[in-house]
């Protein structure tokens, strides 16, 4: 079933003019004039972004017509990464992932150690 889903989705993207990246075959891109739309697939999660908000809205509409899909809004967490977006910057961290690992291995009370590099 996952392979059939991926094939259906990738064929849909090809029909919409997307190109598949050669190294990361779950990454699709589409350029329109000077703008670019990027779509990343991870199992049944899809994240996308563009240099032009209109491209994002058109893509979301196309996807909702073709597939049963819910829009989750701005990306905050994806494959272990926490994402904080501002107007000018995007900040990534793995604080939640690290805390979950410490809890899983019962190391929450361990003492922190200085990392010999700048943060």
């Amino acid at each position: 079933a996952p392979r059939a889903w991926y094939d259906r989705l990738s064929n849909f993207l090809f029909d919409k003019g997307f190109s598949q990246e050669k190294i990361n075959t779950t990454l699709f891109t589409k350029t329109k004039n000077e703008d670019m739309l990027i779509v990343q697939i991870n199992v049944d999660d899809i994240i996308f972004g563009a240099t032009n908000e209109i491209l994002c809205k058109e893509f979301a509409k196309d996807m909702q017509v073709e597939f049963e899909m819910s829009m989750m809004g701005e990306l905050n967490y994806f494959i272990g990464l926490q994402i904080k977006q501002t107007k000018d910057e995007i900040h990534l961290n793995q604080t939640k992932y690290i805390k979950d690992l410490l809890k899983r291995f019962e190391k929450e009370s361990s003492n922190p150690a200085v990392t010999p590099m700048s943060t």
Side-chain angles (χ1 to χ4, degrees):
R3 182 67 185 169
W5 155 247
Y6 179 78
D7 288 344
R8 180 171 177 236
L9 178 58
S10 58
N11 287 330
F12 171 79
L13 293 173
F14 293 140
D15 290 346
K16 294 292 181 182
F18 282 85
S19 300
Q20 186 177 37
E21 296 300 309
K22 292 180 183 5
I23 302 295
N24 179 355
T25 56
T26 62
L27 182 66
F28 294 81
T29 58
K30 177 181 179 178
T31 54
K32 187 174 181 181
N33 300 324
E34 298 293 317
D35 294 309
M36 178 181 263
L37 175 62
I38 299 171
V39 176
Q40 175 66 54
I41 303 165
N42 183 47
V43 189
D44 61 351
D45 290 327
I46 301 168
I47 61 170
F48 59 94
T51 56
N52 182 329
E53 191 174 342
I54 293 170
L55 288 178
C56 282
K57 289 179 180 178
E58 288 174 355
F59 177 72
K61 183 180 175 185
D62 288 345
M63 288 292 290
Q64 289 174 327
V65 166
E66 184 70 19
F67 302 99
E68 187 176 322
M69 178 181 120
S70 58
M71 293 291 291
M72 303 302 291
E74 188 174 288
L75 183 64
N76 294 308
Y77 194 78
F78 188 70
I79 11 179
L81 288 174
Q82 287 173 261
I83 299 109
K84 172 73 173 148
Q85 300 178 60
T86 66
K87 182 182 175 199
D88 299 318
E89 300 173 325
I90 299 174
H91 298 269
L92 304 173
N93 72 64
Q94 291 186 295
T95 303
K96 182 184 180 321
Y97 176 74
I98 298 299
K99 285 181 180 180
D100 289 347
L101 276 178
L102 290 171
K103 184 176 181 178
R104 179 177 169 194
F105 294 103
E106 300 175 359
K107 298 292 183 183
E108 301 102 325
S109 61
S110 298
N111 294 325
V114 176
T115 304
M117 62 174 53
S118 58
T119 56

